[in-house]
Amino acid sequence: MRTYFVRTFGCQMNKHDSERIAGMLETQLGLTQAPSPETADVVVFNTCAVREGAEERLRGQVSSLKAAKTGPNPDVIIAVGGCIAQRDGEMLLSYLPHVDIVFGTHNVGALPSLITSASETRAATVQVLAEGTEFASDLPSIREHTWHAWVPITVGCNNFCTYCIVPYVRGKERSRSFDDIVAEAERLVADGVVEITLLGQNVNSYGRDLYGESRFPDVLRRVAQTGVRRLRFVTSHPKDLSDETIAVMASTPQVCHSLHLPVQSGSNRILSAMHRRYTSEAYLALVERLYTAIPDLALSTDVIVGFPGETDADFEETLDLVRHARFDQAFTFLYSPREGTPAAQLKNTVSRNVMQKRFDRLVAIVQSLAYAKNQRYLGTVQEILIEGVSRRDPGVITGRTDSNKVVHAPIPAGESAEALAGTFARVAIDEAQTWFLWGHFEG
Ligand code: SAH
Ligand code: SF4
Ligand code: F3S
C-alpha cells in the first residue's frame, strides 16, 4: 500500500471530512496521493445521500473500479464512507459487492485501522456507529488549499425538514466547544490560513445544546479577532438568523458580505409541509433587514422545485419571492424523494415533466437576476483573494471578492498563478457576466 485517492460527493461538511481522511492516510499510514483512482492502492468514496443524483454517480464510479480490481489492480482497497454508508451500513455490500470497507459519518477516525485490517484479512469490514462523539477536526488534515480552512462548529441537525435525509445520517445537532473552535482558528491563522469558513447544517443555532442559547454571534466576533482576513459561514436557517448576527456581520470587517440563506419555496403552504417554520413574508422581511444593514450583501439561496403537492400557484409564489429577494445566486434542485423521510410518504407527487418546466423557468429568472446584480461591480475596484489559475485559460487567475463573486484577470507579466494563490490583489472590474466578473490588476 503506497498511494490513496479520495473522491468526495456532497456538501462542505463532506469536503472537510475528506481533508481529514487525507490527513490520516498520510500521517498515520504513510500513503501519498495518487493522481487518479485507477492507479491508487486505496480508494475512498466519501458519499452524499441528499438527492438521488449523487447516489447514481457513486454506483457508476465504484463499478468502474471493479474493472481495475478484476484486472490490473486486484489488491486495490475500496472504502465507502459518508452519508450513504451511514444510511445503508452492511446493506451497501449487497449492491456494491466489491467494496472492502464501509464506515459511517461518526467514525471517520477509525478508517486507518480499518484499512490496515482489510489489507491483512482481505475480508469486507463494516463499521457504522449510530451516534458520534468525535469531531473530525480533532484529526490531522491535508487541506485542499493552504490558505483556506473549513472549521466545523456544529455537526448534525435537529430541524427535520420533511424532505431531508441529513438529520438521519448526521445525527442530532452537537456543538463544538467555544474554546476548541477558537483554538483551532488560532492554529490555522498561525499556519498561514487567511480565509476560514465556519461549518454547520444550521450555524445559527450554535451553542444551544452547550450553553442553552445560541452563541453564534460570539463565535463570529471571537474568530474575527484571530487575525484571519476573511470569515465566512454556511449554512444559515432563516428561522434562526438573529438581528445580533446581522449586526455583527455589518460591523466586523473580517466577516464577508455574502450570505447563503436557503429559502426552499415561496409558498407558505409548501413551507409548512416542508416543516421550515417561517413564512415567505418573514423570509422577505429578514432579507430587507439584511440589505438595510449590509447594502452590498451578496445573497444566495437553495430552492426545491416540485415538492409533493406543489401547484402552479405555489410555484408562482416561489418565482415572486425569488424576484423580490434579488438573489445573487440560487442553487435549484428538483425534489428527490428520500426513503425514510416524511415527505417520501406523500402521494400527490408532481410529474417529472411539470417539475422540469418549472425548474427551467426558475433557472432563467435566477440567471437574469444574477446578471443584473453583477452589473453593480462594473467600474469598481475589488479586493480579491486569488485561488489559482483559471480552469479555462492558463494565462488567467481566478479569485473571489469578499462577496464571493468569481473574478478572472490576466496574470501580470513576471508573476505566476502558483505564487499568487492565497494572496490578495486589487482588481478593476471591466466586465460583468452572469456567473463571473472580468478585470485587470490595478497598479
Ligand atoms: N443544512 C443545509 C444543507 C442541506 S442540504 C440547509 O439547511 O440548507 C442542501 C440543499 O439540498 C437544501 O437546502 C435543499 O435545497 C436541498 N435538498 C435537501 N433534500 C432534498 C431533496 N430530498 N430533494 C431535493 N433537494 C433537496
Ligand atoms: Fe436538512 Fe433542514 Fe437540517 Fe438543512 S435544516 S440539513 S435542509 S433538515
Ligand atoms: Fe450530502 Fe451528507 Fe452533506 S447527505 S449534503 S454529504 S451531510
Side-chain angles (χ1 to χ4, degrees), residues 50-51 163 201 235 262 264 302 304 333-336 338:
V50 83
R51 285 172 296 274
Y163 50 81
Q201 298 299 341
T235 301
Q264 315 298 359
D302 292 343
I304 298 178
F333 305 108
L334 294 168
Y335 169 69
S336 172
R338 306 282 68 206

Side-chain angles (χ1 to χ4, degrees), residues 295 379 390:
S390 154

Side-chain angles (χ1 to χ4, degrees), residues 50 156-167 201-202 235 237 264 276:
V50 83
C157 183
N158 291 347
N159 287 321
F160 289 94
C161 304
T162 55
Y163 50 81
C164 185
I165 192 83
V166 170
Q201 298 299 341
N202 176 15
T235 301
H237 195 302
Q264 315 298 359
R276 290 292 290 179

Side-chain angles (χ1 to χ4, degrees), residues 163-322:
Y163 50 81
C164 185
I165 192 83
V166 170
Y168 306 92
V169 288
R170 290 281 171 171
K172 283 202 292 291
E173 182 178 270
R174 284 187 297 126
S175 301
R176 209 168 156 204
S177 90
F178 194 88
D179 294 344
D180 280 1
I181 295 168
V182 174
E184 187 182 18
E186 278 173 344
R187 265 200 314 277
L188 290 165
V189 170
D191 198 32
V193 165
V194 292
E195 182 179 66
I196 286 178
T197 307
L198 304 175
L199 284 184
Q201 298 299 341
N202 176 15
V203 288
N204 308 93
S205 61
Y206 168 79
R208 274 194 197 139
D209 52 329
L210 296 180
Y211 311 110
E213 56 174 358
S214 170
R215 287 193 59 193
F216 183 60
D218 297 335
V219 174
L220 277 183
R221 272 193 213 97
R222 182 62 188 84
V223 175
Q225 288 164 6
T226 58
V228 72
R229 288 277 297 273
R230 282 187 175 177
L231 181 56
R232 303 184 185 281
F233 53 91
V234 279
T235 301
S236 293
H237 195 302
K239 76 177 164 59
D240 294 314
L241 180 71
S242 67
D243 288 342
E244 188 185 354
T245 296
I246 298 174
V248 174
M249 284 181 75
S251 64
T252 312
Q254 293 82 356
V255 180
C256 292
H257 288 182
S258 73
L259 179 70
H260 186 58
L261 193 65
V263 67
Q264 315 298 359
S265 170
S267 152
N268 287 339
R269 221 171 49 80
I270 298 296
L271 286 171
S272 158
M274 287 175 162
H275 195 48
R276 290 292 290 179
R277 288 176 279 175
Y278 52 83
T279 60
S280 66
E281 292 79 12
Y283 185 90
L284 285 174
L286 176 60
V287 165
E288 290 313 322
R289 289 204 297 286
L290 281 159
Y291 283 142
T292 305
I294 313 162
D296 63 341
L297 181 75
L299 189 64
S300 62
T301 199
D302 292 343
V303 181
I304 298 178
V305 176
F307 185 83
E310 184 189 75
T311 62
D312 284 340
D314 291 319
F315 181 66
E316 291 302 329
E317 290 181 358
T318 297
L319 296 184
D320 276 349
L321 180 139
V322 167

